[in-house]
Amino acid sequence: MKIVDKINANIQEGKTFFSFEYFPPRTEEGVENLFERLDRMVAYGPTFCDITWGAGGSTADVTLGIATKMQNLFCVETMMHLTCTNMPVEALDNALNEVRKAGLQNILALRGDPPKGQEEFKQIEGGFGNALDLVKYIREKHGDYFGIGVAGYPEAHPDFIVDDEQQMKKNYWDSLAYLKEKIDAGADFIITQLFYRVERFLQFVEDCRSIGITCPILPGAAVSYPLHAPL
């Protein structure tokens, strides 16, 4: 089932809803530990869960394995992140085909961060340089099969945050125009980057609506840990 359908149903019924996001562990022990916690967390009734994707598919097998179990063993609607970082089209095709085989129907389409050791994102030969092209490609190759989420940035994309107030305002509205392009290309909903003030998120939603973005916009949030707590 597409996550956007569950989201819209909750909105229409006036229900409060939430989701959980997980990072793929680096060890088998970590994966088993995640599944133990997932079993307990799913009992709280999240609308969906999602699992991140390592740069260039570095966690591809682990991510797909976790996503498959989330969907088919724990019976929670699952969304897998997919990025452009170090991913030629052939690798993207393989990932999308494996996701379909596993019965997953939801993708969070992202440009992705630069690989470890690099300061700037660089498009590789035979790959994509932004999330917009990735959304277009998914729709071109898989039609309406996948529900697609994209990222939104209440403070503008980190690559375009500057000290100059006027330039920052322009960058912010440029980022909204680009976000609308992703929605118009076939994305179904938006999950925001983290923010520190609720007012900033509410203004972001209002600004999105003002330029014709009508899809659901979900706020991204992170749990704050005490300094002494292990992560």
Side-chain angles (χ1 to χ4, degrees):
M1 181 178 184
K2 291 183 181 178
I3 286 169
V4 68
D5 293 333
K6 298 185 71 174
I7 292 172
N8 283 328
N10 284 329
I11 292 173
Q12 290 172 6
E13 295 173 18
K15 290 183 178 179
T16 299
F17 61 96
F18 63 94
S19 63
F20 293 129
E21 178 172 295
Y22 301 95
F23 300 93
R26 298 178 181 178
T27 66
E28 292 184 10
E29 182 180 359
V31 172
E32 291 304 316
N33 193 32
L34 171 61
F35 286 145
E36 290 179 9
R37 283 162 172 72
L38 183 62
D39 193 28
R40 297 196 297 271
M41 294 177 77
V42 167
Y44 288 100
T47 295
F48 66 92
C49 291
D50 61 282
I51 181 77
T52 65
W53 179 267
S58 59
T59 64
D61 291 339
V62 176
T63 294
L64 184 59
I66 293 172
T68 300
K69 279 196 174 182
M70 278 185 183
Q71 181 79 41
N72 300 314
L73 182 60
F74 294 98
C75 299
V76 60
E77 212 61 54
T78 301
M79 176 169 65
M80 192 181 81
H81 294 211
L82 189 60
T83 76
C84 302
T85 306
N86 287 344
M87 291 286 287
V89 168
E90 294 78 9
L92 290 170
D93 283 338
N94 182 67
L96 290 166
N97 290 334
E98 289 300 314
V99 165
R100 288 193 67 156
K101 288 179 185 176
L104 277 72
Q105 206 172 353
N106 297 283
I107 294 290
L108 186 64
L110 306 164
R111 186 201 72 177
D113 297 324
K116 187 175 181 180
Q118 296 183 19
E119 293 185 1
E120 297 181 356
F121 177 90
K122 293 182 179 179
Q123 180 178 349
I124 66 166
E125 185 176 352
F128 298 122
N130 54 64
L132 173 60
D133 288 341
L134 180 56
V135 170
K136 289 179 177 178
Y137 185 76
I138 294 172
R139 285 290 179 236
E140 177 187 342
K141 293 295 182 179
H142 295 272
D144 196 42
Y145 175 81
F146 287 110
I148 302 176
V150 291
Y153 298 89
E155 314 255 2
H157 192 283
D159 288 354
F160 301 102
I161 294 178
V162 296
D163 292 329
D164 183 271
E165 186 175 342
Q166 291 302 314
Q167 185 62 47
M168 187 63 240
K169 183 177 181 180
K170 180 181 184 302
N171 291 352
Y172 172 74
W173 284 99
D174 285 348
S175 73
L176 290 186
Y178 174 65
L179 179 58
K180 188 174 189 302
E181 286 189 74
K182 291 192 285 187
I183 299 302
D184 291 344
D188 298 302
F189 62 96
I190 298 163
I191 298 180
T192 75
Q193 178 61 277
L194 306 182
F195 54 89
Y196 294 98
R197 294 181 297 116
V198 173
E199 294 80 6
R200 181 61 257 164
F201 170 74
L202 296 177
Q203 185 62 55
F204 173 75
V205 173
E206 183 178 326
D207 293 340
C208 285
R209 300 307 185 215
S210 75
I211 62 170
I213 296 175
T214 60
C215 68
I217 302 174
L218 310 185
V223 176
S224 295
Y225 291 89
L227 292 178
H228 64 274
L231 297 179

